[in-house]
Structure formats: structure tokens, C-alpha cells
Amino acid sequence: MTPAIEAARLTPTQRANLIEAAAHGALTNRLWQAALGTDTHAAMTDGAPDPAAPGVGEPAARYADRLDLANLLALFDARRGRTADAIPGDPAMIDPASCPPSGGDGAMRNLGPNAMHAETLRAAAMRSGIPDTALAAIVQAEAAKDSGGRWNCYSRNPRSSAAGLGQFLGGTWQSIAQKPGTWLNAVAQQRGWIDERGRIRPESRAAVLAMRYDSTAAIQTIADYARSNLETIRRAGVTVGSDPASIAKSAYLGHHLGPGDVVRFLKGDLGEARARTLLAAQIGSGGATRAIAATGDASTAHRAWLTAYVGRNVQPMRFG
């Protein structure tokens, strides 16, 4: 499925709605990039560059429209329970009648309305070595929820390309799909979405992005990303505790900041300019200015905000 082919199947009204949403999304994405101080179209909150970034001389506006429309088409297909060239029996297939998927015995304690994810969380934990309670805590901190507390697998950040239970940016998700040894790469290889060079085929890009809305794919990829970020943190000489709470908090910081910024944050080396940018992106420029004035510098203000946020929202013990 390519965006062009799928768009041809839409009704005129659906097509008009997508075009309007794409134009709005392109504008908000550019404003978001400007707020973060980056105009290279790199991923902005998790530190991974977008492998589909435009080449030299390609108009930025055209790229922004293409990116947002591909994401919109991916969301449209995911909501209809579709992925491209799905393989019968593939464990990553989206059940069109169920999101989150049915199944799972709910034996993991205290998942409440999200008990249907227990089996997937356990499977991801066994494969990655990241405790299931830590994985649940990361999802809880990232995903949108309905009024009953049920995780919304169609979560979408209107200010960026972040989507799904793990709020993965498009560039980071594609990078993981191209990384050998990950669950997502194995599925992409199986479905023929990866070419002989190990890159995502252009015509498969929307299908790969649509996988972010598959709760099984999201949870398994959260586990892979957590394992990778924890390895990066340890290699940098930063100690990570062995208990689920310590693992969850360090993994979440890596998920939130990306492998580059998380090491600088944990070592206290996050510069003033970068700290100010990250803080403004999270609480707005006005709130950042007030927080910095209250603490005396941007690094202290950002550390105080993020530490408090993690403390409130990343609590694996609630699922144990």
C-alpha cells in the first residue's frame, strides 16, 4: 500500500478531510520544530534522526506535507484494522474488531482496564529482559487514556509525529524497524518491507508507520527501545539499579529524551540552551520562563520538572 494508491480509494469527503488535516499538521510540525530550535527535520524528543529526511535541495514544506500525509494515511488504515500485505498468521496483525487486542488472561496484577495487555507485556519482558511492570509503567506515562483509564492505541500528539501507545516519532520507529534483532525488524523483514540494503522500501513506509497503532507492536518496540537505551546509559558509566522501579525510570528517561540527551541529563551535562528548549517544548515558553526564573537556570528548572514528572507518572509498583 502506498499513500497514492490508498488515497485513490478514499471518498471525496475523506480525501478533503485528509488534505485539510495534512496542511494543518504540516504547519504545526514546522512550528514544533521551530520551538525546539531544529530545522533539519530530525526527530525532536527522542533524539533519533528521521531516515526519510529530505535530501539537499528538497523543499522543506513538501517534505513536511509528505510526512504528515503518510502518517495520516497510516492512521486511517490502522483505524480500519489494515496493514499492507499482511501475512496470515502473523502475530503482529491488527485485529480490525479489537484495539487493544483481545486475549491475555489478565494475571498481571493491577492492570485494571488494561488487563488485556498482560500477555503481551509478559512476552515482551521475557524477550527483552525488561520487567513487565516497567513496560506497563512506560505505557502508562506515554499513552493517552479514555475516561475509564484504558490505554488508547490510537494516541497521537498533535504537535509532532508521536503516535501509538509508545508515542514513537516516525523517524525513531523507522530506525527501530531497520535495526536487526528488534521485534519490529523481524516483522518488517517477514512482510517484505525491508530492501536488500536493510532500509524500509519507500512504498512500505506508510505500512511501517501504521504499526505504531498496533498495541502488540508498540509494546514489543517499547521493550526493544528500553533495552537499547539502558545499554547506552550503562556504557556511558551511569549506574542503573536492578529493581523494576530503577529500570523503569531510567528506561523512561531514555524513551523521553533519546539516547544522546539522556546520558547528558543523567550526568548533569545537559546544556542551558538545550534544557531551555526541552522545557519549553513540554510546558510552553511562558511556563519555562517562569520555572527558570524561580530556579535560577534552565538546567535546574528542566531537571526539576522532568524528575517530578517521572516520579508522578512512572510507577511500576502500581502494576506489581
Side-chain angles (χ1 to χ4, degrees), residues 265-318:
F265 176 84
L266 291 172
K267 289 188 171 184
D269 295 334
L270 196 63
E272 284 289 295
R274 182 61 175 160
R276 182 184 294 271
T277 296
L278 291 173
L279 186 61
Q282 294 298 326
I283 65 175
S285 58
T289 298
R290 290 189 293 273
I292 292 168
T295 59
D297 65 84
S299 292
T300 301
H302 175 260
R303 178 173 294 277
W305 175 83
L306 184 52
T307 300
Y309 181 85
V310 171
R312 289 194 309 272
N313 294 284
V314 184
Q315 300 179 5
M317 66 288 296
R318 69 179 290 183

Side-chain angles (χ1 to χ4, degrees), residues 33-317:
Q33 290 165 0
L36 287 175
T38 174
D39 51 13
T40 60
H41 300 279
M44 292 164 289
T45 59
D46 53 15
D50 188 339
V56 176
E58 181 174 1
R62 183 172 66 192
Y63 169 74
D65 288 346
R66 186 184 71 212
L67 173 62
D68 200 71
L69 184 56
N71 277 285
L72 284 165
L73 288 168
L75 175 57
F76 182 79
D77 282 323
R79 284 189 180 279
R80 297 193 304 181
R82 298 182 51 184
T83 56
D85 304 321
I87 297 173
D90 187 336
M93 279 190 66
I94 298 174
D95 178 358
S98 173
C99 190
S102 58
D105 58 20
M108 183 179 175
R109 295 194 299 273
N110 301 329
L111 276 173
N114 298 299
M116 71 285 294
H117 295 293
E119 183 177 340
T120 301
L121 288 163
R122 281 196 300 272
M126 290 177 63
R127 187 182 58 81
S128 67
I130 308 297
D132 52 4
T133 54
L135 296 174
I138 293 172
V139 177
Q140 180 71 16
E142 287 291 304
K145 302 152 197 76
D146 65 18
S147 59
R150 177 168 161 164
W151 298 333
N152 178 8
C153 63
Y154 296 121
S155 300
R156 180 70 191 269
N157 186 335
R159 298 173 298 180
S160 74
S161 64
L165 293 185
Q167 288 294 283
F168 282 99
L169 295 178
T172 301
W173 186 262
Q174 291 174 91
S175 295
I176 297 171
Q178 294 172 158
K179 184 176 181 180
T182 64
W183 184 95
L184 188 58
N185 179 259
V187 172
Q189 292 277 7
Q190 183 187 28
R191 295 186 177 187
W193 294 343
I194 303 296
D195 64 21
E196 62 281 356
R197 298 174 301 167
R199 306 289 291 176
I200 295 169
R201 300 180 188 278
E203 66 271 19
S204 300
R205 184 166 170 265
V208 171
L209 290 171
M211 291 290 289
R212 291 179 297 169
Y213 303 104
D214 178 342
S215 55
T216 296
I219 289 171
Q220 290 283 1
T221 303
I222 286 170
D224 279 324
Y225 196 47
R227 180 170 57 184
S228 176
N229 284 326
L230 289 171
E231 289 172 355
T232 296
I233 291 169
R234 292 186 177 108
R235 283 198 305 268
V238 179
T239 300
V240 176
S242 58
D243 61 290
S246 297
I247 291 172
K249 292 180 187 302
S250 294
Y252 179 78
L253 285 172
H255 193 101
H256 179 84
L257 292 169
D261 281 338
V262 71
V263 171
R264 288 187 285 270
F265 176 84
L266 291 172
K267 289 188 171 184
D269 295 334
L270 196 63
E272 284 289 295
R274 182 61 175 160
R276 182 184 294 271
T277 296
L278 291 173
L279 186 61
Q282 294 298 326
I283 65 175
S285 58
T289 298
R290 290 189 293 273
I292 292 168
T295 59
D297 65 84
S299 292
T300 301
H302 175 260
R303 178 173 294 277
W305 175 83
L306 184 52
T307 300
Y309 181 85
V310 171
R312 289 194 309 272
N313 294 284
V314 184
Q315 300 179 5
M317 66 288 296

